[in-house]
Amino acid sequence: MRLPRIRRIVQFCVLPIAYIGFIVPGIVHFVWPSIHCYACPLSAWICPIGAMQNFVKEGRFPFFVLGTMFGAGVGFGRAVCAWVCPFGLLNDILAGISRFRTRLRVVELLLAVFLALFSLSAALVDLRAGVAIALFSFFALFAIKRFYLFKYLVLVVTVGAAIVCADTIFCKVCAVATFEASLPYAISPSAGIPVEVLGAPFLIHLAVGVLAIVGLLWARRFWCRYICPFGAILGLANRFSVLRLMRDPQKCNPKTCRSACIRACSMGVTSIPRLKSVDSTDCIRCGDCVDACPNRALRLRFSLKR
Amino acid sequence: MLAAVVLLLLTQVTGIDAKVESLKVAPSSQTVISALIDVHDDAAEFHPEQCDVEVLSGPSWLEVASEEAVFEPAAPGIVRVLVPATVNANASGKAELRLRVKIYYCNNFEGWCRADKVDVKVPVEVVAPSAAKIVARPPIWTLIIAAAFLVATFAFFFLPRYVRSLCCVGFVVFGLIGAVQHREHIKAYGIAKQLCVSCIGLERTYVLRGSPRIAAETRDFVASLNNTYEIVVFSAEWCTNCPYAKAVVKKMVEASGGKLTMRIVDVEKDKDEAAKYPIERGGRIALPAVAVRTKDGVEVIFGAQNIEKRLVDLLRRLEGRQR
């Protein structure tokens, strides 16, 4: 069986485990190794980014989240983004539907809108903090100009906003929370929690949801590539993860295949034909390039040797 | 030498400590003095009805309502004292308030009770009204550690390979050991088990700035209630909107003149009590939750948005039913 198909089957098999709260009520909570809202009525797992913000805003160092995140990272690197993340599956499905070509202009515009929404939600809690975050993040966005680094900016701003506003600001602009928590609670009449449908927090959530869908239609894996702060942290562990993407330089010949791996890569990693072991922080070990390579020069394997 | 050791042991065993936050107040406002009293005994059980607060000295412009002091357990062996106070219009400058707190506590396991007194000095500073906020912010060292971690994150790209591998494995070991040491796995369980309504943006965040105001109609209504009701406010340490909900309910209870009584239940520490009330939504306890207990049963409202109006509507409905 080909790798993308195996991956799709794994993704669908993992889905009921991610939403195990539905099947096994009262299961002990663990940190789910991907972004996955803890407020989702069906989920029994802890979102690492949500828990991290909650710890930071209380003045605690997030040891638990750090340990479990890097635990997943050392084992599998960013493979969790491609194989177990429920939102990653939505990313993949929308990438399959999309017929648009990636345009950096559109991406830049969407990222600017995301930052505006982030600053707005911070401003609703603390006006000065909102203005400071807007100034810092917009300056950083137009200064770095390398959009794959944008997720590190989001990570910095997330932690900074949790400290300054003493609130979980990222959760208020998280598209995962829109689809897993905000919309279910707003739609469900039996929830009993009064969601103010015309209030600012719900409208911001809706806007981020629309932004994510538009972004996913325009750029493959838009959320994972540019925004997800969890992917940012996990990307660092890619360089020493046990699961790795290896390239055989003897077999590889980019001239004959016109860099099929780069064209197949949904994360836009361009360094595949140059490295022996693809350790880019953006590589999610999805195996699309392995499947696309006509020379069979690439393979995914577990190895401790560098 | 021996005397020194005995003295050290005695101070450790018998002494109780107080930790206070400096108070920033605005002229003509109401505030709450908060202090944490540590009795150095995790098994201690507090008896709030026998604890009291006495004002030793303080500025003339600060009226401390020491008889309205609230004692609530904050952590094992630690009790939080909340004393409401009113600041007059002529307040200015800095001053020091000295309180004597009497704590009565028992160790049921060893079978003894004792009353200890501790003097608490609260620095009070008068600031302009806009800057007088009660916002619980994490201490500055969190900022420093977080900044160091983020700098380390970027330094990762430039470190030699073996240093990076070592760092990464170090993060796992350090993280998991630290988590168990600081009991963060239990805390994380609590965070996921309860749903903070404002944390994920289901409603606005209401930051408690000073003391909230309630409408004159609400005051009149709660004062004219025919029956008595017990209001239970459910909260958690990390819940963002809970302080606001608690403050509004407290104001209404004060205005009711004894018709309403209030009880605060921390859902993480008092799980058995929380389990008696129907406050679970979507498999988790939604916070802040305000429950009104009547003879027929319990009515619950969630969230801090319009809480004053919704609580008045609920009470009006209950009054109509019982009349």
Side-chain angles (χ1 to χ4, degrees), chain B residues 255-272:
Chain B
S256 73
K259 301 279 173 52
L260 299 176
T261 50
M262 179 188 178
R263 198 150 57 89
I264 296 168
V265 175
D266 191 314
V267 292
E268 279 179 285
K269 281 161 200 150
D270 208 347
K271 287 181 189 135
D272 300 340

Side-chain angles (χ1 to χ4, degrees), chain A residues 16 62 76 79 86 108 113 118 121 134 149 161 171-172 178 208 213 234 265 274 277 300-301:
Chain A
F76 306 102
E108 189 176 3
V113 173
F118 196 108
S121 338
L149 286 178
C171 295
K172 299 181 206 306
T178 309
V208 172
I213 298 285
L234 219 55
C265 184
R274 283 187 278 119
S277 161
L300 277 175
R301 55 179 283 201

Side-chain angles (χ1 to χ4, degrees), chain B residues 2-309:
Chain B
L2 192 68
V5 170
V6 169
L7 198 69
L8 197 72
L9 280 175
L10 275 178
T11 47
Q12 186 64 39
V13 173
T14 60
I16 64 174
D17 282 344
K19 213 169 110 186
V20 285
E21 289 161 13
S22 65
L23 198 64
K24 284 188 178 162
V25 295
S28 2
S29 69
Q30 289 186 324
T31 183
V32 177
I33 302 157
S34 156
L36 287 172
I37 313 287
D38 188 353
V39 300
H40 299 296
D41 184 354
D42 283 357
E45 188 181 284
F46 297 102
H47 292 261
E49 67 283 354
Q50 300 204 41
C51 302
D52 60 31
V53 177
E54 185 190 334
V55 182
L56 296 179
S57 67
S60 57
W61 40 261
L62 189 70
E63 288 168 23
V64 182
S66 53
E67 65 283 355
E68 288 178 27
V70 180
F71 296 83
E72 54 182 41
I78 298 176
V79 66
R80 183 180 284 119
V81 187
L82 298 168
V83 192
T86 314
V87 189
N88 292 343
N90 58 356
S92 63
K94 287 182 187 175
E96 193 181 68
L97 176 70
R98 288 183 61 212
L99 302 171
R100 177 164 289 172
V101 184
K102 191 181 111 188
I103 299 288
Y104 187 81
Y105 60 101
C106 297
N107 189 321
N108 292 341
F109 181 63
E110 290 168 24
W112 51 262
C113 291
R114 63 181 296 138
D116 265 336
K117 282 178 185 170
V118 63
D119 285 0
V120 183
K121 288 176 190 167
V122 189
V124 189
E125 190 187 341
V126 179
V127 290
S130 63
K133 290 177 193 171
I134 307 173
V135 183
R137 290 222 168 112
I140 190 74
W141 61 262
T142 329
L143 188 71
I144 296 165
I145 290 187
F149 179 67
L150 290 171
V151 169
T153 311
F154 288 104
F156 245 59
F157 291 107
F158 309 104
L159 289 172
R161 177 173 286 166
Y162 63 92
V163 181
R164 281 191 310 230
S165 331
L166 218 62
C167 281
C168 213
V169 176
F171 276 146
V172 179
V173 177
F174 169 74
L176 293 179
I177 291 176
V180 175
Q181 237 178 12
H182 293 254
R183 303 182 69 73
E184 277 191 359
H185 53 300
I186 300 192
K187 188 91 194 159
Y189 173 81
I191 290 170
K193 187 76 185 154
Q194 285 104 34
L195 166 67
C196 163
V197 178
S198 71
C199 288
I200 51 150
L202 291 181
E203 68 171 10
R204 247 194 69 200
T205 302
Y206 291 88
V207 181
L208 182 60
R209 291 189 168 93
S211 186
R213 294 226 168 90
I214 57 169
E217 297 93 68
T218 310
R219 281 172 190 282
D220 295 345
F221 172 72
V222 289
S224 66
L225 284 171
N226 295 323
N227 304 298
T228 54
Y229 300 94
E230 189 195 25
I231 302 181
V232 190
V233 183
F234 296 92
S235 73
E237 212 177 300
W238 44 268
C239 164
T240 321
N241 274 357
C242 292
Y244 179 82
K246 275 191 265 187
V248 171
V249 174
K250 191 157 186 283
K251 277 264 162 183
M252 287 172 69
V253 170
E254 279 167 8
S256 73
K259 301 279 173 52
L260 299 176
T261 50
M262 179 188 178
R263 198 150 57 89
I264 296 168
V265 175
D266 191 314
V267 292
E268 279 179 285
K269 281 161 200 150
D270 208 347
K271 287 181 189 135
D272 300 340
E273 188 62 32
K276 289 179 195 162
Y277 291 83
I279 49 171
E280 269 203 20
R281 289 294 180 274
R284 25 176 76 63
I285 295 173
L287 293 175
V290 178
V292 182
R293 168 163 276 189
T294 61
K295 286 170 203 154
D296 307 335
V298 181
E299 298 269 348
V300 191
I301 50 176
F302 294 101
Q305 172 191 306
N306 289 338
I307 185 163
E308 182 191 329
K309 188 176 166 290

Side-chain angles (χ1 to χ4, degrees), chain A residues 257-274:
Chain A
C257 68
R258 290 172 29 243
S259 302
C261 48
I262 296 177
R263 280 183 284 130
C265 184
S266 59
M267 294 292 285
V269 179
T270 51
S271 57
I272 307 171
R274 283 187 278 119

Side-chain angles (χ1 to χ4, degrees), chain A:
Chain A
M1 204 187 287
R2 299 172 76 165
L3 209 47
R5 180 157 292 181
I6 298 175
R7 184 164 72 89
R8 195 50 52 85
I9 291 169
V10 170
Q11 277 179 314
F12 276 107
C13 289
V14 169
L15 215 52
I17 304 173
Y19 297 108
I20 203 161
F22 187 54
I23 305 159
V24 189
I27 190 180
V28 180
H29 293 61
F30 290 105
V31 175
W32 181 252
S34 84
I35 197 155
H36 179 34
C37 194
Y38 55 60
C40 174
L42 299 185
S43 160
W45 304 83
I46 303 166
C47 169
I49 299 299
M52 183 177 81
Q53 290 176 85
N54 269 310
F55 280 124
V56 167
K57 84 172 191 196
E58 261 188 54
R60 287 160 174 259
F61 189 78
F63 291 107
F64 186 46
V65 179
L66 194 75
T68 42
M69 265 199 285
F70 273 91
V74 169
F76 306 102
R78 272 194 84 173
V80 290
C81 300
W83 295 75
V84 302
C85 181
F87 200 65
L89 179 61
L90 181 72
N91 278 232
D92 277 343
I93 291 169
L94 286 180
I97 297 169
S98 167
R99 292 288 170 268
F100 297 107
R101 274 188 60 218
T102 306
R103 287 220 188 112
L104 280 183
R105 243 321 133 206
V106 178
V107 170
E108 189 176 3
L109 183 74
L110 290 175
L111 296 184
V113 173
F114 178 81
L115 280 186
L117 290 170
F118 196 108
S119 314
L120 183 64
S121 338
L124 285 176
V125 179
D126 190 332
L127 187 64
R128 280 179 299 177
V131 173
I133 287 169
L135 288 176
F136 168 74
S137 53
F138 274 101
F139 173 75
L141 172 67
F142 294 110
I144 52 181
K145 275 281 176 194
R146 292 180 181 175
F147 297 132
Y148 67 91
L149 286 178
F150 186 80
K151 49 187 177 294
Y152 290 95
L153 174 66
V154 175
L155 178 65
V156 171
V157 179
T158 300
V159 177
I163 291 170
V164 177
C165 302
D167 201 358
T168 54
I169 303 293
F170 181 76
C171 295
K172 299 181 206 306
V173 288
C174 179
V176 185
T178 309
F179 298 120
E180 292 193 344
S182 208
L183 284 176
Y185 277 114
I187 293 164
S188 158
S190 62
I193 299 167
V195 180
E196 200 187 356
V197 177
L198 289 175
F202 188 74
L203 292 180
I204 288 176
H205 255 164
L206 269 194
V208 172
V210 172
L211 181 142
I213 298 285
V214 171
L216 288 171
L217 289 175
W218 239 278
R220 284 186 290 174
R221 279 197 171 253
F222 170 77
W223 185 264
C224 311
R225 234 160 118 176
Y226 301 114
I227 294 177
C228 187
F230 177 78
I233 298 178
L234 219 55
L236 298 171
N238 249 359
R239 306 213 165 191
F240 14 75
S241 65
V242 182
L243 176 67
R244 290 172 339 148
L245 177 63
M246 306 289 284
R247 187 184 68 103
D248 190 342
Q250 254 101 55
K251 288 184 189 167
C252 177
N253 191 350
K255 281 172 194 156
T256 56
C257 68
R258 290 172 29 243
S259 302
C261 48
I262 296 177
R263 280 183 284 130
C265 184
S266 59
M267 294 292 285
V269 179
T270 51
S271 57
I272 307 171
R274 283 187 278 119
L275 301 166
K276 195 173 166 220
S277 161
V278 184
D279 291 341
S280 160
T281 51
D282 271 348
C283 175
I284 54 170
R285 277 90 163 107
C286 60
D288 286 355
C289 51
V290 179
D291 188 62
C293 182
N295 304 327
R296 298 193 172 273
L298 291 160
R299 60 189 171 144
L300 277 175
R301 55 179 283 201
F302 287 97
S303 151
L304 284 173
K305 273 190 275 174
R306 286 286 127 188

